[in-house]
Amino acid sequence: KMEKIRLVYDYLQNNTRYVSIQLGIGGWQPFEASFVHEKKYGDCKALSNYTKALLARYGVYSFYTLIRAGKYQNEVEEDFPNAHFNHAIVTVPMEKDTIFLECTSQTNPFGYMGTFTSNRKALMITPEGGKLISTKKYLPEDNIQSTSIDIDLSDEQLTSIRFERNYKGLEIDNHNFQRLYWKDSKELNKWVRENHDWGGQKIASIDLFDMKKNQIPEAGYQVEFSSNSEYVNMGDRKFISPDRYINSFVANLPNKERKTAVKINYGYVQHDTIRYQLDKYHLLEKDLAKLDFKSDYGKYHRELIKKSNELIYIRKFQLNDGEYPVEQYQDFKDFVQKVKSADKERFVLLNKT
Protein backbone atom coordinates (compact mmCIF):
# COMPACT_ATOMS: atom_id res chain seq x y z
CA LYS A 1 0.00 0.00 0.00
CA MET A 2 2.77 2.42 0.93
CA GLU A 3 4.55 1.77 -2.36
CA LYS A 4 1.34 2.44 -4.31
CA ILE A 5 0.92 5.78 -2.54
CA ARG A 6 4.56 6.67 -3.17
CA LEU A 7 4.32 5.82 -6.89
CA VAL A 8 1.11 7.82 -7.33
CA TYR A 9 2.70 10.81 -5.60
CA ASP A 10 5.80 10.47 -7.77
CA TYR A 11 3.61 10.39 -10.88
CA LEU A 12 1.73 13.49 -9.69
CA GLN A 13 4.96 15.45 -9.11
CA ASN A 14 6.43 14.50 -12.48
CA ASN A 15 3.32 15.07 -14.58
CA THR A 16 1.45 18.06 -13.14
CA ARG A 17 2.14 21.60 -12.05
CA TYR A 18 0.41 24.03 -9.74
CA VAL A 19 -1.67 26.83 -11.25
CA SER A 20 -4.15 28.83 -9.16
CA ILE A 21 -7.47 28.97 -10.98
CA GLN A 22 -10.24 30.86 -9.22
CA LEU A 23 -12.69 31.79 -11.96
CA GLY A 24 -16.36 31.46 -11.08
CA ILE A 25 -16.94 28.70 -8.55
CA GLY A 26 -13.36 27.48 -9.11
CA GLY A 27 -12.25 29.31 -6.00
CA TRP A 28 -14.33 26.88 -3.90
CA GLN A 29 -14.99 23.78 -5.96
CA PRO A 30 -12.24 21.48 -7.30
CA PHE A 31 -11.97 20.93 -11.04
CA GLU A 32 -12.76 17.40 -12.14
CA ALA A 33 -9.97 14.81 -12.03
CA SER A 34 -10.34 14.30 -15.80
CA PHE A 35 -9.58 18.00 -16.38
CA VAL A 36 -6.29 17.76 -14.47
CA HIS A 37 -5.40 14.47 -16.17
CA GLU A 38 -5.83 16.09 -19.58
CA LYS A 39 -4.41 19.58 -18.91
CA LYS A 40 -1.64 18.51 -16.45
CA TYR A 41 -2.25 21.47 -14.12
CA GLY A 42 -4.57 22.64 -11.36
CA ASP A 43 -4.77 24.50 -8.07
CA CYS A 44 -4.50 22.85 -4.64
CA LYS A 45 -8.13 21.70 -4.73
CA ALA A 46 -7.93 20.27 -8.24
CA LEU A 47 -4.58 18.53 -7.67
CA SER A 48 -5.77 17.05 -4.36
CA ASN A 49 -8.98 15.81 -5.94
CA TYR A 50 -6.95 14.31 -8.81
CA THR A 51 -4.55 12.57 -6.39
CA LYS A 52 -7.51 11.13 -4.48
CA ALA A 53 -8.92 9.78 -7.78
CA LEU A 54 -5.56 8.22 -8.76
CA LEU A 55 -5.22 6.53 -5.37
CA ALA A 56 -8.77 5.16 -5.64
CA ARG A 57 -7.92 3.74 -9.07
CA TYR A 58 -5.26 1.60 -7.37
CA GLY A 59 -7.39 0.58 -4.41
CA VAL A 60 -6.12 3.13 -1.86
CA TYR A 61 -8.83 4.95 0.07
CA SER A 62 -8.00 8.58 0.89
CA PHE A 63 -9.70 11.82 1.96
CA TYR A 64 -9.77 15.31 0.48
CA THR A 65 -8.73 17.58 3.37
CA LEU A 66 -8.98 21.33 4.00
CA ILE A 67 -6.28 23.07 6.04
CA ARG A 68 -4.98 26.51 7.02
CA ALA A 69 -1.53 26.55 5.42
CA GLY A 70 1.29 28.89 6.34
CA LYS A 71 4.30 29.16 8.63
CA TYR A 72 2.18 29.84 11.72
CA GLN A 73 -0.62 27.59 12.95
CA ASN A 74 -3.96 29.26 13.59
CA GLU A 75 -6.29 27.88 16.22
CA VAL A 76 -9.53 26.39 14.92
CA GLU A 77 -12.59 27.29 16.97
CA GLU A 78 -14.39 23.97 16.91
CA ASP A 79 -17.68 25.32 18.26
CA PHE A 80 -18.00 28.18 15.76
CA PRO A 81 -18.42 27.51 12.01
CA ASN A 82 -16.07 29.70 10.00
CA ALA A 83 -13.96 29.72 6.82
CA HIS A 84 -10.81 28.68 8.68
CA PHE A 85 -9.05 27.07 5.73
CA ASN A 86 -7.13 28.29 2.68
CA HIS A 87 -5.55 25.12 1.24
CA ALA A 88 -6.28 21.51 0.32
CA ILE A 89 -4.20 18.34 0.82
CA VAL A 90 -4.88 14.58 0.80
CA THR A 91 -4.99 12.37 3.90
CA VAL A 92 -4.28 8.64 3.60
CA PRO A 93 -4.99 6.68 6.82
CA MET A 94 -2.65 3.73 7.41
CA GLU A 95 -2.72 0.99 10.03
CA LYS A 96 0.12 2.47 12.10
CA ASP A 97 0.38 6.01 10.76
CA THR A 98 -1.28 8.58 8.54
CA ILE A 99 0.24 9.88 5.32
CA PHE A 100 -0.40 13.50 4.34
CA LEU A 101 0.26 14.49 0.73
CA GLU A 102 1.08 18.05 -0.35
CA CYS A 103 -0.14 17.90 -3.96
CA THR A 104 1.02 21.31 -5.19
CA SER A 105 4.78 20.69 -4.79
CA GLN A 106 6.96 19.12 -7.47
CA THR A 107 9.89 18.74 -5.07
CA ASN A 108 8.50 17.91 -1.61
CA PRO A 109 9.74 14.59 -0.19
CA PHE A 110 6.98 11.99 -0.02
CA GLY A 111 4.82 12.52 3.08
CA TYR A 112 6.71 15.64 4.20
CA MET A 113 4.57 18.54 5.41
CA GLY A 114 7.12 21.09 6.55
CA THR A 115 6.19 24.22 8.44
CA PHE A 116 3.52 24.87 5.79
CA THR A 117 0.91 22.39 7.02
CA SER A 118 2.30 20.38 9.97
CA ASN A 119 1.16 20.42 13.61
CA ARG A 120 -2.32 21.94 13.24
CA LYS A 121 -5.99 21.08 12.83
CA ALA A 122 -7.40 20.15 9.42
CA LEU A 123 -10.88 19.29 8.15
CA MET A 124 -10.95 15.82 6.59
CA ILE A 125 -13.94 15.39 4.26
CA THR A 126 -15.50 11.95 4.77
CA PRO A 127 -18.71 10.40 3.39
CA GLU A 128 -20.23 11.02 6.83
CA GLY A 129 -19.20 14.68 6.86
CA GLY A 130 -16.29 16.84 7.93
CA LYS A 131 -14.01 15.56 10.68
CA LEU A 132 -11.37 17.64 12.45
CA ILE A 133 -8.00 15.88 12.65
CA SER A 134 -4.47 16.83 13.71
CA THR A 135 -1.69 16.78 11.13
CA LYS A 136 1.79 15.41 11.81
CA LYS A 137 3.74 16.97 14.67
CA TYR A 138 7.52 17.06 14.28
CA LEU A 139 9.31 16.62 17.62
CA PRO A 140 12.55 18.49 18.44
CA GLU A 141 14.56 15.30 17.87
CA ASP A 142 13.05 15.07 14.36
CA ASN A 143 14.45 18.51 13.49
CA ILE A 144 18.24 18.47 13.66
CA GLN A 145 20.90 20.85 12.39
CA SER A 146 24.26 19.11 12.55
CA THR A 147 27.48 21.03 11.83
CA SER A 148 31.00 19.64 11.49
CA ILE A 149 33.94 22.00 10.93
CA ASP A 150 37.69 21.43 10.51
CA ILE A 151 39.85 24.52 11.04
CA ASP A 152 43.61 24.45 10.41
CA LEU A 153 45.32 27.17 12.47
CA SER A 154 48.89 26.05 11.71
CA ASP A 155 49.30 28.65 8.94
CA GLU A 156 49.71 32.09 10.53
CA GLN A 157 48.69 33.93 7.35
CA LEU A 158 45.68 32.02 6.07
CA THR A 159 43.32 29.59 7.83
CA SER A 160 41.96 26.62 5.87
CA ILE A 161 38.41 25.61 6.79
CA ARG A 162 36.08 22.78 5.79
CA PHE A 163 32.49 23.45 6.82
CA GLU A 164 29.76 20.80 6.58
CA ARG A 165 26.15 21.25 7.67
CA ASN A 166 23.35 18.70 7.52
CA TYR A 167 19.66 19.35 8.06
CA LYS A 168 16.97 16.89 9.09
CA GLY A 169 13.21 17.31 9.33
CA LEU A 170 11.89 20.88 9.43
CA GLU A 171 15.44 22.21 9.56
CA ILE A 172 15.69 21.79 5.78
CA ASP A 173 13.52 24.93 5.62
CA ASN A 174 16.15 27.06 7.41
CA HIS A 175 16.72 30.23 5.36
CA ASN A 176 14.67 28.59 2.57
CA PHE A 177 17.44 26.01 2.11
CA GLN A 178 15.04 23.50 0.53
CA ARG A 179 14.52 25.90 -2.39
CA LEU A 180 18.09 25.27 -3.53
CA TYR A 181 16.92 21.91 -4.78
CA TRP A 182 14.82 23.60 -7.45
CA LYS A 183 17.38 26.21 -8.45
CA ASP A 184 20.61 25.98 -10.47
CA SER A 185 24.04 25.80 -8.82
CA LYS A 186 24.56 29.56 -9.01
CA GLU A 187 21.87 29.98 -6.38
CA LEU A 188 23.87 27.84 -3.93
CA ASN A 189 26.87 30.19 -4.04
CA LYS A 190 24.60 33.18 -3.50
CA TRP A 191 22.73 31.46 -0.66
CA VAL A 192 25.95 30.57 1.20
CA ARG A 193 27.29 34.13 0.97
CA GLU A 194 24.00 35.68 2.07
CA ASN A 195 23.44 33.37 5.05
CA HIS A 196 26.93 33.15 6.57
CA ASP A 197 28.70 36.11 8.10
CA TRP A 198 32.17 34.57 8.27
CA GLY A 199 34.08 37.59 7.02
CA GLY A 200 37.27 37.62 4.92
CA GLN A 201 36.61 34.23 3.36
CA LYS A 202 37.83 33.01 -0.01
CA ILE A 203 35.61 30.13 -1.10
CA ALA A 204 37.31 27.26 -2.94
CA SER A 205 34.32 24.94 -3.40
CA ILE A 206 30.64 24.52 -2.46
CA ASP A 207 28.79 21.22 -2.77
CA LEU A 208 25.10 20.48 -2.27
CA PHE A 209 24.37 16.98 -0.97
CA ASP A 210 21.62 14.86 -2.48
CA MET A 211 18.41 15.09 -0.48
CA LYS A 212 17.17 11.92 1.20
CA LYS A 213 13.48 12.22 0.42
CA ASN A 214 12.08 10.42 3.46
CA GLN A 215 9.01 11.49 5.44
CA ILE A 216 11.59 13.11 7.69
CA PRO A 217 13.95 14.33 4.94
CA GLU A 218 17.70 14.95 5.20
CA ALA A 219 19.86 17.34 3.18
CA GLY A 220 23.00 19.40 3.52
CA TYR A 221 26.02 21.10 1.98
CA GLN A 222 29.78 21.48 2.32
CA VAL A 223 31.97 24.56 1.87
CA GLU A 224 35.77 24.67 1.70
CA PHE A 225 37.31 28.09 2.10
CA SER A 226 40.22 30.06 3.54
CA SER A 227 40.03 33.00 5.90
CA ASN A 228 42.32 35.75 7.14
CA SER A 229 40.03 36.72 10.02
CA GLU A 230 39.56 33.49 11.97
CA TYR A 231 40.83 35.04 15.21
CA VAL A 232 41.69 38.35 16.85
CA ASN A 233 45.42 38.85 17.41
CA MET A 234 46.54 40.71 20.52
CA GLY A 235 50.30 40.42 20.96
CA ASP A 236 51.16 36.76 21.46
CA ARG A 237 47.54 35.80 21.96
CA LYS A 238 44.83 34.62 19.59
CA PHE A 239 41.21 35.06 20.69
CA ILE A 240 39.01 32.37 19.09
CA SER A 241 35.22 32.79 18.77
CA PRO A 242 33.40 29.53 17.90
CA ASP A 243 30.06 31.34 17.79
CA ARG A 244 30.81 32.74 14.33
CA TYR A 245 29.80 29.31 12.99
CA ILE A 246 26.80 28.79 15.28
CA ASN A 247 23.27 29.80 14.28
CA SER A 248 21.11 29.20 17.34
CA PHE A 249 18.14 31.09 15.74
CA VAL A 250 17.09 32.29 19.20
CA ALA A 251 15.75 35.83 19.04
CA ASN A 252 16.85 38.73 21.23
CA LEU A 253 14.11 39.13 23.81
CA PRO A 254 13.12 42.67 24.84
CA ASN A 255 13.16 43.85 28.46
CA LYS A 256 9.70 45.43 28.28
CA GLU A 257 6.79 43.77 30.06
CA ARG A 258 5.35 40.77 28.26
CA LYS A 259 1.55 40.75 27.83
CA THR A 260 1.00 37.54 25.84
CA ALA A 261 2.20 33.96 26.09
CA VAL A 262 5.44 32.87 24.43
CA LYS A 263 4.80 30.29 21.72
CA ILE A 264 7.51 28.17 20.13
CA ASN A 265 5.90 26.55 17.08
CA TYR A 266 8.66 24.10 16.27
CA GLY A 267 11.37 22.72 18.52
CA TYR A 268 14.77 21.69 17.19
CA VAL A 269 18.17 20.25 18.10
CA GLN A 270 21.60 21.54 17.10
CA HIS A 271 24.84 19.53 17.16
CA ASP A 272 28.06 21.48 16.55
CA THR A 273 31.55 19.99 16.40
CA ILE A 274 34.54 22.20 15.57
CA ARG A 275 38.03 20.68 15.34
CA TYR A 276 40.92 23.17 15.59
CA GLN A 277 44.26 21.90 14.29
CA LEU A 278 47.17 23.59 16.08
CA ASP A 279 50.91 23.59 15.55
CA LYS A 280 53.48 22.87 18.27
CA TYR A 281 53.85 26.58 19.08
CA HIS A 282 50.27 27.04 20.26
CA LEU A 283 49.31 26.71 23.91
CA LEU A 284 45.77 26.93 25.30
CA GLU A 285 45.92 29.81 27.77
CA LYS A 286 42.24 30.39 28.53
CA ASP A 287 40.02 27.29 28.51
CA LEU A 288 36.23 27.08 28.25
CA ALA A 289 34.43 25.61 31.24
CA LYS A 290 32.24 22.59 30.58
CA LEU A 291 28.58 23.60 30.71
CA ASP A 292 25.42 21.54 31.18
CA PHE A 293 22.03 23.05 31.98
CA LYS A 294 18.40 22.36 31.15
CA SER A 295 14.89 23.64 31.81
CA ASP A 296 11.34 23.19 30.54
CA TYR A 297 12.38 25.18 27.47
CA GLY A 298 15.32 23.05 26.38
CA LYS A 299 18.84 22.01 27.28
CA TYR A 300 22.43 22.97 26.53
CA HIS A 301 25.83 21.27 26.59
CA ARG A 302 29.25 22.68 25.74
CA GLU A 303 32.83 21.53 26.26
CA LEU A 304 36.31 22.01 24.84
CA ILE A 305 38.34 18.79 24.60
CA LYS A 306 42.14 19.08 24.50
CA LYS A 307 44.31 16.66 22.56
CA SER A 308 48.00 16.84 21.55
CA ASN A 309 47.70 19.18 18.56
CA GLU A 310 43.95 19.52 18.44
CA LEU A 311 41.10 21.25 20.26
CA ILE A 312 37.57 19.91 19.80
CA TYR A 313 34.69 22.25 20.55
CA ILE A 314 31.40 20.39 21.12
CA ARG A 315 28.02 22.03 21.51
CA LYS A 316 24.52 20.55 21.79
CA PHE A 317 21.43 22.71 22.09
CA GLN A 318 17.75 21.79 22.14
CA LEU A 319 14.82 24.20 22.09
CA ASN A 320 11.45 22.68 23.00
CA ASP A 321 8.22 23.68 21.30
CA GLY A 322 5.31 24.76 23.47
CA GLU A 323 3.25 27.67 24.70
CA TYR A 324 4.51 29.28 27.88
CA PRO A 325 2.34 31.69 29.92
CA VAL A 326 3.31 35.27 30.62
CA GLU A 327 4.31 34.32 34.17
CA GLN A 328 7.15 32.18 32.76
CA TYR A 329 8.50 34.84 30.42
CA GLN A 330 11.36 35.88 32.68
CA ASP A 331 12.43 32.26 33.18
CA PHE A 332 12.31 31.66 29.43
CA LYS A 333 14.25 34.85 28.78
CA ASP A 334 16.89 33.85 31.36
CA PHE A 335 17.32 30.46 29.66
CA VAL A 336 17.70 32.07 26.23
CA GLN A 337 20.20 34.62 27.54
CA LYS A 338 22.22 31.87 29.22
CA VAL A 339 22.46 30.04 25.88
CA LYS A 340 23.47 33.17 23.98
CA SER A 341 26.08 34.12 26.60
CA ALA A 342 27.59 30.62 26.55
CA ASP A 343 27.81 30.70 22.74
CA LYS A 344 29.67 34.02 22.77
CA GLU A 345 32.46 32.88 25.10
CA ARG A 346 35.93 32.81 23.57
CA PHE A 347 39.04 30.79 24.32
CA VAL A 348 42.60 32.07 24.02
CA LEU A 349 45.71 30.56 22.44
CA LEU A 350 49.20 31.69 23.44
CA ASN A 351 52.04 31.63 20.94
CA LYS A 352 55.04 29.93 22.64
CA THR A 353 57.66 31.22 20.19
Side-chain angles (χ1 to χ4, degrees):
K1 183 178 178 181
M2 183 70 79
E3 191 61 19
K4 285 182 180 179
I5 303 168
R6 190 186 301 275
L7 287 170
V8 165
Y9 190 66
D10 185 61
Y11 175 85
L12 175 81
Q13 288 188 311
N14 290 321
N15 289 276
T16 64
R17 59 193 175 93
Y18 171 78
V19 177
S20 180
I21 303 170
Q22 298 178 356
L23 299 174
I25 202 171
W28 294 96
Q29 179 177 308
F31 280 79
E32 293 181 355
S34 56
F35 174 90
V36 179
H37 192 67
E38 177 186 350
K39 303 294 185 182
K40 306 301 182 187
Y41 64 78
D43 63 6
C44 64
K45 300 180 297 299
L47 293 171
S48 295
N49 185 53
Y50 178 53
T51 303
K52 183 179 183 301
L54 287 175
L55 289 169
R57 171 66 179 80
Y58 294 101
V60 178
Y61 201 57
S62 63
F63 298 96
Y64 181 88
T65 302
L66 297 174
I67 195 167
R68 184 77 178 180
K71 186 176 181 180
Y72 302 105
Q73 314 103 322
N74 286 359
E75 296 296 329
V76 174
E77 295 181 37
E78 299 184 25
D79 58 349
F80 188 80
N82 195 9
H84 291 291
F85 310 107
N86 63 359
H87 188 52
I89 60 174
V90 171
T91 303
V92 189
M94 304 286 284
E95 286 185 12
K96 296 183 179 180
D97 199 0
T98 300
I99 304 298
F100 296 97
L101 300 177
E102 172 53 66
C103 302
T104 63
S105 172
Q106 294 174 303
T107 58
N108 253 30
F110 169 71
Y112 176 67
M113 306 193 74
T115 57
F116 194 56
T117 52
S118 66
N119 195 23
R120 66 196 70 192
K121 294 289 186 181
L123 188 67
M124 186 170 72
I125 310 303
T126 76
E128 294 75 35
K131 178 183 178 183
L132 273 179
I133 60 171
S134 296
T135 61
K136 180 177 177 61
K137 175 180 172 64
Y138 294 89
L139 302 174
E141 53 267 31
D142 293 326
N143 310 318
I144 300 175
Q145 174 185 282
S146 179
T147 307
S148 176
I149 310 169
D150 291 292
I151 300 175
D152 188 351
L153 294 173
S154 59
D155 188 334
E156 290 289 323
Q157 302 302 317
L158 207 60
T159 305
S160 297
I161 301 166
R162 186 192 65 80
F163 178 99
E164 179 180 313
R165 177 162 286 168
N166 289 279
Y167 297 120
K168 183 179 178 183
L170 300 180
E171 292 294 278
I172 70 169
D173 290 330
N174 283 352
H175 304 296
N176 290 319
F177 177 74
Q178 188 188 358
R179 291 175 179 266
L180 297 180
Y181 287 85
W182 25 295
K183 301 286 185 180
D184 60 33
S185 59
K186 293 179 182 178
E187 287 293 316
L188 177 60
N189 291 15
K190 180 182 177 184
W191 184 89
V192 167
R193 294 181 186 279
E194 287 180 348
N195 291 289
H196 296 293
D197 186 21
W198 293 330
Q201 77 268 25
K202 184 177 180 181
I203 295 177
S205 66
I206 306 177
D207 295 302
L208 187 67
F209 301 151
D210 290 339
M211 182 185 289
K212 296 179 182 178
K213 292 193 171 185
N214 309 314
Q215 289 185 54
I216 299 180
E218 298 178 47
Y221 62 102
Q222 178 178 294
V223 186
E224 293 190 5
F225 62 98
S226 55
S227 173
N228 58 14
S229 60
E230 184 57 32
Y231 48 79
V232 176
N233 254 329
M234 295 185 68
D236 293 335
R237 291 170 175 81
K238 292 181 175 66
F239 290 79
I240 311 291
S241 302
D243 74 298
R244 66 185 304 178
Y245 298 111
I246 295 169
N247 302 105
S248 63
F249 305 124
V250 179
N252 291 316
L253 300 175
N255 290 321
K256 62 183 182 181
E257 182 182 357
R258 182 85 185 187
K259 296 183 179 180
T260 58
V262 174
K263 186 174 183 180
I264 307 298
N265 290 313
Y266 303 101
Y268 57 84
V269 175
Q270 295 180 334
H271 295 161
D272 297 279
T273 302
I274 308 176
R275 288 171 290 273
Y276 295 91
Q277 287 295 132
L278 313 177
D279 61 24
K280 61 182 179 180
Y281 302 110
H282 284 130
L283 176 71
L284 181 62
E285 183 183 57
K286 182 192 173 188
D287 202 347
L288 287 177
K290 183 177 179 179
L291 293 178
D292 272 296
F293 55 86
K294 63 181 179 179
S295 73
D296 293 339
Y297 319 112
K299 53 187 177 182
Y300 184 91
H301 169 84
R302 184 204 70 191
E303 63 179 312
L304 187 65
I305 300 172
K306 292 167 280 188
K307 293 189 175 181
S308 55
N309 287 323
E310 186 179 44
L311 293 174
I312 305 174
Y313 177 90
I314 295 175
R315 172 186 178 272
K316 297 177 182 178
F317 169 56
Q318 176 173 318
L319 183 68
N320 296 332
D321 60 278
E323 186 166 338
Y324 307 108
V326 173
E327 295 76 22
Q328 293 185 25
Y329 177 64
Q330 189 58 49
D331 286 343
F332 177 74
K333 183 181 171 185
D334 290 344
F335 171 75
V336 168
Q337 189 55 50
K338 197 172 181 180
V339 170
K340 295 172 80 72
S341 297
D343 283 347
K344 289 185 179 298
E345 284 192 64
R346 302 187 293 182
F347 62 90
V348 182
L349 298 177
L350 179 64
N351 196 333
K352 295 189 291 184
T353 57

